């Protein structure tokens, strides 16, 4: 078998006795079409952490003793159906990403009808070269995606990553054929994007400490870097709740009206009141700058967990946020809660939770049986308040569908990768990381649990699915190593389901995963070597 993830739709061994090329190198990358020269440079950059000096410079002439990774435009169709969902680049129909890859004695040929299809083939070739041991067996693979939108949310608002670290995550996403990077740029804990119209948002703290944020140049360069890997950046400015940093930068903004039942009961950062003139002007300036700086067609406006706003205030805020984004020529996205402001056919809402999915206890005894809840100091009163607050989420999905909107699938149950790992699958010596990382009240689970998720399990008609997006919120992280430890190996499972449109078969998937630790190590990425997977060491080939 090959160890490619997502598993290719078809895989056939080469005819005859072709042993395939040796992997130790040297190797060269060759664009057979002039229009693929830029993609060849990107593929070369992705291969360098694995090949180093064994990778010959681009433009090296053909040598019979050096295998070649050839990139070519041609027939890449694999007979798979057209992808479903929303195209991240805003096109009316998703681009053809199907490809055909052929391994022969003199190298690997990547063919597709489009440049993006050629790039997807090249990432498959990279996985083959890294995971196949000393020789890539002769074979032909064909593949194409089921979902057009395959995303990953990063949370630099809570766990800042430098631009260089974000680039490492973009590379990782591209290697597993993800094509959207959703940046959660603002929250109570931080504001991470320079807004030229409101410099106070990223000014030094009152004690003079500089704040970590992305300058407008940083943001433009990250988008360009992602685009070279066929990844679209979607920024999120999370409002009207999650706004402590905005309130700190612009003191005096009034609170949204509070529902009578909640007033004074629980502490929260009051959501914004967008009926207030000063607040509306500030938010309009922010979104105008974000839209102007964003190359892609989508801007996410949040709309989740606006604790402390009346239904009327929340609905007004969401409608205003959507309107401001559209006035700037972009398409708004929002979390599922924003469906309560109304849904129209052009709306895309991100489905992440309902009360059953939250897996909350009903009694004090059930709390006592959950170590993660005991450690977090969870009380029955707090659980009951959570259930009451989140009760409307049980109808959000129906609201989206009834209004004719599209659903972006990010269910907390499987695609929130800030979930702690179950202690029983954590290898010796990694107990500290496993105990420290993950949202404190989620039930710890294993890699197999994530891999079991089926995109069709929610019963949403295919024509109403926008796509699939994993998230890794950063309440518990302090470094890139922490982020990738939460992501890996689980991100590969989500990528497989998003690409194929179904859960990967676990026995085969874990066998393929076993070879990917080598890939992550060569790229300098930390991961959790779950005992569920029979990891293959470098010398085992």
């Amino acid at each position: 078998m090959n160890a490619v993830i997502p598993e290719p739709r078809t895989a056939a061994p080469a005819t005859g006795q072709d042993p395939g090329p040796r992997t130790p190198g040297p190797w060269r990358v060759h664009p057979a079409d002039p229009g693929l020269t830029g993609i060849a440079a990107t593929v070369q950059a992705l291969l360098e952490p694995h090949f180093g000096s064994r990778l010959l410079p681009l433009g090296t002439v053909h040598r019979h003793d050096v295998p070649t990774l050839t990139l070519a435009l041609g027939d890449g169709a694999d007979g798979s159906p057209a992808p479903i969902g929303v195209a991240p680049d805003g096109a009316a129909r998703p681009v053809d990403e199907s490809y055909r890859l052929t391994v022969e004695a003199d190298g690997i040929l990547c063919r597709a009808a489009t440049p993006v299809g050629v790039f997807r083939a090249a990432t498959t070739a990279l996985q083959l070269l890294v995971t196949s041991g000393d020789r890539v067996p002769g074979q032909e693979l064909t593949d194409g995606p089921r979902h057009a939108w395959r995303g990953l949310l990063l949370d630099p608002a809570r766990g800042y990553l430098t631009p260089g670290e974000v680039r490492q995550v973009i590379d990782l996403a591209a290697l597993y054929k993800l094509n959207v990077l959703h940046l959660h740029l603002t929250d109570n804990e931080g504001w991470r994007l320079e807004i030229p119209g409101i410099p106070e948002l990223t000014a030094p703290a009152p004690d003079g400490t500089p704040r970590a944020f992305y300058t407008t140049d940083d943001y433009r360069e990250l988008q360009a870097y992602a685009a070279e890997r066929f990844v679209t950046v979607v920024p999120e400015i999370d409002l009207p709740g999650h706004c402590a940093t905005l309130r700190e930068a612009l003191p005096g903004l009034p609170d949204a009206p509070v529902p009578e039942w909640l007033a004074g009961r629980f502490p929260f950062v009051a959501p914004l009141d967008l009926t207030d003139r000063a607040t509306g002007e500030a938010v309009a300036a922010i979104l105008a700058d974000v839209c102007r700086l964003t190359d892609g067609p989508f801007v996410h406006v949040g709309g989740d967990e606006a604790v402390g706003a009346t239904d009327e205030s929340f609905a007004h805020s969401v409608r205003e946020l959507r309107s401001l984004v559209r006035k700037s020529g972009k398409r708004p996205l929002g979390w599922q809660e924003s469906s309560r402001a109304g849904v129209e056919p052009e709306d895309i809402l991100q489905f992440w939770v309902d009360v059953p999915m939250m897996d909350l206890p009903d009694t004090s005894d059930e709390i006592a049986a959950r170590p993660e809840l005991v450690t977090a100091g969870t009380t029955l009163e707090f659980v009951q308040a959570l259930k009451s607050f989140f009760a409307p989420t049980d109808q959000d999905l129906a609201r989206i569908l009834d209004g004719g909107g599209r659903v972006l699938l990010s269910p907390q149950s499987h695609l929130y990768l800030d979930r702690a790992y179950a202690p029983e699958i954590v290898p010796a010596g990694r107990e500290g990381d496993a105990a420290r990382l993950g949202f404190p009240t989620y039930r710890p689970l294993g890699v197999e649990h994530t891999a079991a998720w089926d995109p069709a399990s929610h019963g949403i008609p295919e024509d109403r699915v926008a796509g699939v997006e994993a998230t890794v919120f950063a309440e518990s992280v302090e470094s890139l190593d922490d982020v990738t430890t939460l992501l890996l190996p689980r991100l590969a499972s989500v990528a497989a389901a998003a690409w194929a449109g179904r859960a990967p078969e676990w026995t085969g998937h874990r066998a393929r995963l076993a070879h990917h630790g080598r890939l992550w190590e060569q790229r300098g990425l930390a991961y959790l070597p779950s005992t569920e997977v029979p990891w293959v060491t470098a010398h085992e080939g």
Side-chain angles (χ1 to χ4, degrees), residues 382-526:
F382 178 71
V383 170
Q384 290 169 341
L386 278 180
K387 289 183 178 181
S388 175
F389 176 74
F390 281 98
T393 61
D394 290 349
Q395 287 78 49
D396 284 341
L397 190 55
R399 268 188 281 268
I400 298 168
L401 297 176
D402 290 346
R406 296 261 203 155
V407 180
L408 182 57
L409 291 168
S410 298
Q412 180 197 89
S413 58
H414 292 81
L415 269 59
Y416 269 48
L417 303 185
D418 53 327
R419 181 182 295 275
Y421 290 97
E424 60 268 23
I425 62 94
V426 175
R430 298 297 300 274
E431 296 89 350
D433 283 345
R436 179 174 58 85
L437 295 174
F439 193 71
T441 60
Y442 293 167
R443 186 191 296 272
L445 294 167
V447 176
E448 184 178 2
H449 170 82
T450 300
W453 179 69
D454 183 350
S457 63
H458 303 279
I460 301 169
E462 284 188 348
D463 64 345
R464 307 295 294 284
V465 175
V468 173
E469 190 168 288
T471 78
V472 58
F473 285 102
E475 285 94 343
S476 66
V477 308
E478 298 176 0
S479 65
L480 176 63
D481 282 354
D482 288 349
V483 172
T484 60
T485 297
L486 287 169
L487 288 177
L488 301 172
R490 297 181 290 195
L491 183 65
S493 304
V494 177
W499 178 268
R502 63 183 183 277
E505 187 275 321
W506 174 243
T507 300
H509 182 67
R510 70 191 287 266
R512 289 188 294 277
L513 264 181
H515 296 267
H516 283 247
R518 177 189 314 160
L519 185 154
W520 305 327
E521 288 168 1
Q522 290 176 3
R523 302 193 74 82
L525 301 176

Side-chain angles (χ1 to χ4, degrees), residues 2-6 8 21 23 27-29 43 46-47 50-51 68-71 99-103 107-111 117-133 135-137 139 141 174-175 177 516 519:
N2 64 66
V4 174
I5 300 174
T23 58
W27 274 75
R28 74 176 189 126
V29 177
V43 172
L46 287 171
L47 283 166
H50 307 284
F51 280 81
T68 299
L69 176 60
T70 302
L71 311 179
Y99 68 85
R100 185 179 304 274
L101 181 150
T102 307
V103 181
I108 301 176
L109 173 61
C110 300
R111 287 176 293 169
V118 172
F119 182 76
R120 302 295 179 226
T123 63
T124 297
L126 184 151
Q127 290 191 26
L128 285 171
L129 289 167
V130 175
T131 64
S132 295
R135 189 180 293 276
V136 183
Q139 58 194 292
L141 310 177
L175 290 177
K177 300 180 174 63
H516 283 247
L519 185 154

Side-chain angles (χ1 to χ4, degrees), residues 239-404:
L239 297 172
H242 293 269
C243 59
T245 49
L246 177 55
R247 289 190 171 284
E248 181 184 348
L250 302 176
L253 298 180
D255 297 351
V258 181
E260 194 171 312
W261 66 269
L262 186 62
R265 289 192 62 198
F266 295 96
F268 55 85
V269 176
L272 299 175
D273 179 7
L274 266 71
T275 65
D276 172 68
R277 179 177 177 179
T279 303
E281 290 175 350
V283 170
I286 289 166
L287 290 178
D289 275 351
V290 172
C291 291
R292 177 178 56 82
L293 294 168
T294 298
D295 297 330
F298 296 98
V299 170
H300 202 298
V301 295
D304 64 310
E305 298 178 325
V307 184
T310 62
D311 293 343
E312 295 77 11
S313 173
F314 176 73
H316 173 83
S317 293
V318 169
R319 289 193 291 267
E320 182 65 13
L321 293 168
R322 290 173 179 168
S323 175
L324 290 169
V325 169
R326 290 187 175 116
K327 285 178 182 176
S328 291
K330 301 296 183 182
R331 288 188 64 183
L333 298 175
W335 295 104
Q336 67 183 67
E337 292 97 319
S338 55
S339 64
R340 300 166 208 170
V343 178
E344 297 182 359
E346 68 270 21
D347 290 327
I348 301 172
L349 289 307
Q350 194 161 359
F351 173 59
W352 70 282
V353 73
D354 54 32
V355 173
M357 195 187 301
M358 296 176 75
D359 191 19
L360 293 170
D362 293 316
T363 67
S364 296
D365 287 344
E366 290 178 3
I367 292 175
R370 296 269 297 273
E372 73 280 3
L373 299 180
V374 174
T375 300
T378 304
T379 65
L380 187 57
E381 181 189 21
F382 178 71
V383 170
Q384 290 169 341
L386 278 180
K387 289 183 178 181
S388 175
F389 176 74
F390 281 98
T393 61
D394 290 349
Q395 287 78 49
D396 284 341
L397 190 55
R399 268 188 281 268
I400 298 168
L401 297 176
D402 290 346

